[in-house]
Amino acid sequence: MQLDTSQTNHQAQNFIAGKWQKSAGETRPVISPYTGKNCGEVFYINKDDFNSAVDSAKSAQKQWAQTPLKARSAVLFNFRNILLRDQDKISHIVALENGKTINEARAGLMKGIEVLEYALSLQNSDIGGKMEVSRGVFCEYRREPLGVVGSITPFNFPAMVPMWTIPIAIVLGNAYVWKPSEKTPLTSKFVADAFAEAGLPSGILTVAQGEKEVVEMITTHPDIKAVAFVGSTKVAEIVYKSATAHNKRALCLGGAKNHIILLPDADLDVTGMGISDSFTGCAGQRCMAASVLLAVGEVDKHIEKIKERAQSQVLGESMGAIITREQCDFLYQAIEDAVKDGATLILDGRESKKPSDMREGHWIGPTILDNVAPGSVAACSELFGPILSIIRCKNVTEAIEIQNSSVYGNAASVFTSSGPMAEYVAAHAECGMFGVNIGVPVPREPFSFGGVKASKFGHGDITGDHSLDFWTDVKKVTTKWEMQKDSNWMS
Ligand code: NAD
């Protein structure tokens, strides 16, 4: 499928009580990173419409909570079929507004569908538990939804990140209020329309467009019981503090600076592709992208392989664009600053060939900085672009120390052919997700996703088994129907 960059008239409105509404807030253009030009418009929700959306969500949720889990799952089954049917259309809008390649957009949607499939499995696996604790006395767990829950998502995965939480929260009986990124709001139309077609009752999914003001509406509204956030660390902390100050449960995933420890015994081909694709995929705009390579000992042959593979990327074909002009300018500047700080530029993405028909897009190619000093900006700050900073290390101990000195703790990996060494690094790296010879160690369902340190505020994870207690309360029910002869201390 070819990307059609001539589309300019997409609209992102607000989905309130099952209907799309412009609301009376501001209107903003949505810019495609491919062209630097409008591909649509987003209409921000105002406070009155937001409050009325939450009222509708609250009343719809009461019915939804009483619908058996298997019946709720039936709606999500329909939703899955619609997403699969419409995957071309959805991948296209994701690519257009976000700058990913269509293949990357499709892969993100598929990962979202994998989380949806996990949510569908709950009807068979999340059966609580019941046992006779004394003669004639039974204890039982019952999972109960919280009510209305809120979620704020970033620009970098317009379909996948929302799908980390929407299916699980909804199948468990909650109503869900979603604020997409104002930079990539168009995909929400396709997701909400798919839910409506699947038979989701009106009010169970709300889409509220906007920026900071709408985030504040979510974190302060008394009827919203829990808030999930995914985005930068700075905003994750703001949202976490506001939501918890308003007595809400909050789980806020933040930014990252992911380290890869490369050892001389690593397989050359696995390393070349694994590390290169990790920092260039999605043009480096993923929280799981490799951004620091801790090169232990003599690994020049490996670095050459990484560079060769990165050089083969073609902007506008195998590699997409950067979300905004400002972010692209920031990356250009970050490269210049790193060189001033003493780094050696061994691959300069500022010189990569731009697609001739989309010269106004936000382009930068793969960039590799060698001999980066630990403690410098290129070594420590999240740049969020296709830039790999190489720090030369004497030994694994030094590499682990540098990795663990990061404020972030999202992901880390080791590339080696030694099992004991891989185990050693896995045991000592401070991160939530770890990979062995894997450049992007995203856990696949049913394994949960989530970091530690400044990459996450709150407890638990955002997907998989470790997410269930976030979206629900567990009621403990103890039952006795008749007097028992052999009463004990408990009965
Ligand atoms: P961002 O923090 O700028 O925005 C995220 C959301 O917060 C958006 O919906 C935005 O409208 C809202 N927002 C922005 N400023 C706000 C403010 N001052 N107050 C309240 N809300 C505000 O993040 P982004 O640029 O959209 O996404 C990129 C960031 O997200 C990177 O740091 C990346 O590492 C991170 N990310 C993390 C994960 C993870 O799983 N840890 C996943 C994806 C992205």
Side-chain angles (χ1 to χ4, degrees), residues 29 91 95 217 317 322 425:
S91 306
M217 292 177 207
E317 288 178 27
I322 300 297
V425 182

Side-chain angles (χ1 to χ4, degrees), residues 111 157 160 164 258-260 270-271 273-282 284-291 410-415 433-444 449:
K111 171 66 190 172
F157 283 95
M160 182 190 80
W164 282 352
N258 304 312
H259 295 72
I260 294 190
V270 171
T271 302
M273 187 187 272
I275 299 181
S276 191
D277 291 4
S278 175
F279 89 94
T280 61
C282 299
Q285 298 164 105
R286 349 179 231 207
C287 67
M288 296 296 281
S291 55
N410 212 41
S413 295
V414 66
F415 279 69
M433 294 168 280
F434 189 80
V436 178
N437 299 320
I438 305 272
V440 184
V442 172
R444 300 284 303 272
F449 185 102

Side-chain angles (χ1 to χ4, degrees), residues 153-156 179 182 215 229-232 235 254-255 287 382 449:
T153 53
F155 80 82
N156 67 328
K179 192 209 84 67
E182 69 282 4
V215 174
F229 171 91
V230 180
S232 62
V235 183
C287 67
E382 182 179 42
F449 185 102

Side-chain angles (χ1 to χ4, degrees), residues 12-17 19-23 43-44 49 52:
Q13 301 188 10
N14 301 284
F15 195 60
I16 302 172
K19 293 201 173 54
W20 290 105
Q21 296 177 27
K22 286 189 174 167
S23 189
F43 299 86
Y44 289 2
D49 289 340
S52 100

Side-chain angles (χ1 to χ4, degrees), residues 34 94 98-109 157 280-283 286 318-320:
Y34 275 96
V94 167
N98 169 278
K100 283 184 203 307
T101 66
I102 289 188
N103 282 346
E104 288 168 347
R106 193 186 306 277
L109 179 63
F157 283 95
T280 61
C282 299
R286 349 179 231 207
S318 59
M319 205 172 140

